Amino acid sequence: MGNYLAKADLHLHSKASNLPGGWFSKLVGCPESLTEPMEIYRRLKERGMSFITITDHNTINGVLELAHLPEVFISCEYTVEIPEEKGKVHVLVYGITEAQHQDLLRLRNNIYDFVKYLKSHRIAHSLAHPLYSVQGTKITRSLLEKLVLLFDNWEVINGTRGDGVRYVEESIARAYDGWDKIHALAERHRIEPQRIRDRITFTAGSDDHGGMDVGRTWTAVEGAISKEDFLKGLWEGKTQVGTEELGDKRLLNMVCRVGYDFLKSKNHIPSEVRPITDYVFMHSDNPMVGMLLRNFLGIKSERSELLREIAKKLPSFTLERFLKSPSPQTLGELCLSLMAHGFPAFLKYAQKREEEKIKVLGREFGILNGRSPKVAYLTDTYHHINGVARSAKLIRQIALEEDLPFTIIVSNSQVKEEEKLINLEPIVEIPTPFYEELKMGLPNLIELMDLLEREGFTQVHIATPGPLGLMGFLVGKILRLRITFAFHTDIPTYARTYTGDPEVESLLWKAFVFLGNISDRFFVPSEHYKKLFVSKGLQYSKISTFKRGVDTELFSPYKRDEDFWSKRLGVKKHQRVILYVGRVSKEKGLDTFLYTARCFPEDLFVIVGDGPYRKEIEGKKPKNVHLLGYMVGEELATAYASSDVFLFPSETETYGQVVLEAMASGLPVVVSSKGASHEHVQEGVNGFIATKPEDFIEKLSLLLSSENLRRSMSQEALYYARSLDMRKTYIDYMLAIAGLGRLVHETC
């Protein structure tokens, strides 16, 4: 029988824990638990517990209802005061008599007398959740060292908490192994030690108040045939601890079950829904209800995870109902489902907040438990043709080739998962304002939270402020992850361009500044935007600039084809070509491009790209302007190299990647003085900078009238582009995102 493991859940509550547990429960008069002791008994037996107990707060009334059963022993969780610390702890005490319980109630205002009584009567006990604050008690190193002197058993797995603190609790306990350390502590604090062993051992319990998850965390004693054997094993520290998966699922079950029982006791649960809710909260085991519920919502999870799965599935179900039949009722259902959907995230935040406090305390003891960085790179655009999507694809490629800890996460119905690319199925896809063809997916909040936690990501990088990006920001905060944010697109200026409302622009700038200030790092692609953000209130210490290089193998003057445009457009050979590449949208300054084209009727002006402004451009362009739609890869590289000048009037560029591509292709450039494109240009050396439409005409005239000037600027543009090695700049950027290095181009 030596290998037989006797198990017991050593921390759980029944209806005898009948006082409110927090400010809200006090407000509504809801007790900590309403679970019947016999329900707890039955469920513990079903889950394989060898021995049964209940540890209600400062009472044994609940467990006394079961005390006649042979495998039950009487226990209690006492709130005990530490006089000089003006603090309190919870102590779990096992296998007591009613008389001993009365003695302990009298002694619990002084922890030293309380523990001395336990030791003198050889009563098994354990310090509950050692690093969690009880009734506002400040957990300090001094207090913990006193607890080391008093308790031989610590509870290191608590089912209502997350799994992120066990390492800290065990490490602190192990730091004081040995009588030499114990006696040194006793001398420092001038306290008589109550320890009976030189090594702290561990216990575990579910700390369940709702009855749904009892027995899913346990303490085991090898070879214990009787409850007396089990209690002796606890006293002697011959324990092993075990648990099923921890997390917010159990906390959700407990909080919702207690709330449901409270409403049910007040007759506030409609009779029509009781068969379903009783099944969900384990008051009934009707298999037909379970089968219908699972099939209706498509749920395949275990019974204990049913409530969380319902919260996960509800938004999709109610949104579909609302879209099919819009009405106040279906809208109300949708709103309620979103509240239910967000509740697990709220509980997860509470857990992570407590864990963070414990980890901070652990660092005082030199316990770091640091994890290697693993970055979730969230982008709302991936399969589209734009600079942000290209960056995401390149980062994935480099991560694969260099084995860097980056995974791209998207939410789009058109993207297939690949290595280092995860696609979360969107609940709905939302058209981008003013860019109807660009649809952004809204993922499931709980699925995103589970993904980031399950895969062990240590940080999230927000590449776009769309639905996925903003949800990722929220989840990063909930999970207490490092958050970095990249400003790729001047959305505030775009918004003003399309709406004509400066208030909208101002509001969006404030939103970006707010997000930047609560991020760990905020990346901008140019000095222009760094200065702009600082002027608008973003903390200087938060902001970094990054530069991206250009693929000089793809974009090269050697790709020039003298017949490219004559074949493509059916025009005369050797006509000079002035090129624009980018989105065809209002904010790109294409009216200036058309204005300039009218002044050079003998030359070709070509627009490569597409977007919402194309139809309007086609309606008013002069005959020498050609719109060709999107080009990519070798075709785009040939288009650049086969042109003569790159004219880029956009005033909202945050970086100007297409300007670099043009330079790498050997083109002199003419760009706007507004935005950040001009940071690539040295006036009169590798290009020109224009401040108003007339300047574009003047600068272009200079270039077209002098082949020597074009040739000279072409060479300088090529030198500049080749100085920015694309791979190196992206690796620098990725290392900076991960917190592994400083950006080469960061300015101090």
Side-chain angles (χ1 to χ4, degrees), residues 375-391:
V375 181
Y377 186 102
L378 275 61
T379 175
D380 291 275
T381 173
Y382 187 78
H383 71 288
H384 310 96
I385 299 176
N386 58 53
V388 182
R390 285 196 300 270
S391 289

Side-chain angles (χ1 to χ4, degrees), residues 328-463:
Q329 179 182 338
T330 54
L331 177 61
E333 290 172 357
L334 176 60
C335 292
L336 287 173
S337 73
L338 291 174
M339 291 173 62
H341 185 68
F343 193 55
F346 170 77
L347 295 178
K348 175 64 75 176
Y349 173 76
Q351 281 188 334
K352 290 297 181 180
R353 187 180 179 190
E354 285 293 333
E355 285 182 18
E356 186 61 31
K357 291 179 182 177
I358 287 171
K359 289 175 182 177
V360 169
L361 182 64
R363 286 194 280 273
E364 288 188 34
F365 289 83
I367 301 164
L368 300 178
N369 193 24
R371 293 185 294 168
S372 299
K374 186 175 182 181
V375 181
Y377 186 102
L378 275 61
T379 175
D380 291 275
T381 173
Y382 187 78
H383 71 288
H384 310 96
I385 299 176
N386 58 53
V388 182
R390 285 196 300 270
S391 289
K393 290 174 182 175
L394 187 55
I395 281 174
R396 175 177 172 268
Q397 178 186 333
I398 292 174
L400 284 167
E401 294 170 354
E402 300 290 337
D403 195 26
L404 292 174
F406 278 71
T407 300
I408 309 298
I409 297 178
V410 299
S411 180
N412 192 287
S413 58
Q414 299 181 31
V415 176
K416 293 182 180 179
E417 289 198 0
E418 302 175 71
E419 188 177 357
K420 289 189 177 289
L421 173 63
I422 296 173
N423 183 31
L424 290 171
E425 187 67 26
I427 295 174
V428 64
E429 290 187 294
I430 305 166
T432 306
F434 311 111
Y435 294 92
E436 293 295 322
E437 74 279 13
L438 177 58
K439 288 182 168 56
M440 297 185 291
L442 177 67
N444 187 294
L445 174 68
I446 296 176
E447 286 183 2
L448 178 58
M449 186 168 68
D450 288 349
L451 169 67
L452 295 181
E453 191 165 39
R454 181 179 66 248
E455 297 297 326
F457 287 105
T458 61
Q459 78 170 82
V460 291
H461 177 74
I462 313 302

Side-chain angles (χ1 to χ4, degrees), residues 619-630:
K620 61 184 179 181
K621 70 179 182 66
K623 292 182 180 180
N624 63 330
V625 173
H626 301 264
L627 286 91
L628 297 185
Y630 288 122

Side-chain angles (χ1 to χ4, degrees), residues 40 50 107 184 240 279 358 387 395 435 455 461 486 515 524 586 663 697:
I40 293 172
S50 313
L107 293 170
Q240 301 176 37
Y279 180 84
I358 287 171
I395 281 174
Y435 294 92
E455 297 297 326
H461 177 74
L515 291 171
V524 294
K586 193 174 182 179
M663 290 174 136
I697 296 168

Side-chain angles (χ1 to χ4, degrees), residues 175-314:
Y176 294 102
D177 281 347
W179 286 116
D180 289 345
K181 292 181 180 178
I182 292 169
H183 291 315
L185 272 186
E187 189 172 330
R188 183 190 310 163
H189 292 286
R190 297 183 180 180
I191 292 173
E192 180 185 354
Q194 298 293 322
R195 293 280 297 278
I196 60 172
R197 299 192 302 274
D198 67 346
R199 181 181 173 88
I200 292 171
T201 51
F202 304 129
T203 65
S206 66
D207 199 4
D208 186 80
H209 291 63
M212 294 174 68
D213 290 305
V214 293
R216 296 186 64 206
T217 298
W218 60 85
T219 303
V221 174
E222 187 174 350
I225 306 302
S226 67
K227 62 187 178 186
E228 290 76 19
D229 290 340
F230 188 86
L231 291 167
K232 182 182 178 185
L234 286 180
W235 171 259
E236 294 176 351
K238 297 176 180 178
T239 57
Q240 301 176 37
V241 293
T243 186
E244 295 178 23
E245 183 183 1
L246 299 173
D248 61 279
K249 301 181 186 72
R250 297 207 208 174
L251 192 56
L252 178 70
N253 285 349
M254 185 179 79
V255 171
C256 292
R257 165 67 188 262
V258 171
Y260 177 73
D261 287 353
F262 179 66
L263 293 174
K264 191 174 180 180
S265 72
K266 302 294 183 182
N267 294 315
H268 292 330
I269 305 297
S271 59
E272 297 85 358
V273 301
R274 273 197 187 184
I276 296 173
T277 52
D278 277 355
Y279 180 84
V280 170
F281 290 108
M282 296 188 180
H283 280 298
S284 75
D285 295 310
N286 189 326
M288 290 300 295
V289 174
M291 183 178 68
L292 289 172
L293 188 62
R294 291 172 186 276
N295 290 338
F296 190 60
L297 292 175
I299 295 173
K300 299 179 181 179
S301 61
E302 297 292 328
R303 179 87 181 268
S304 60
E305 297 182 4
L306 186 59
L307 181 61
R308 194 172 187 274
E309 286 300 307
I310 290 172
K312 183 190 293 186
K313 298 281 187 179
L314 274 178

Side-chain angles (χ1 to χ4, degrees), residues 19 32 148 278 362 378 401 485 499 528 552 558 584 591 664 711:
L19 295 176
E32 281 188 272
V148 167
D278 277 355
L378 275 61
E401 294 170 354
F485 200 109
T499 66
H528 170 79
T552 54
Y558 299 113
V584 181
D591 287 332
R711 189 179 297 115

Side-chain angles (χ1 to χ4, degrees), residues 61-76:
N61 291 343
V63 71
L64 284 177
E65 293 188 25
L66 308 175
H68 61 285
L69 298 169
E71 60 269 75
V72 175
F73 54 88
I74 298 171
S75 304
C76 185

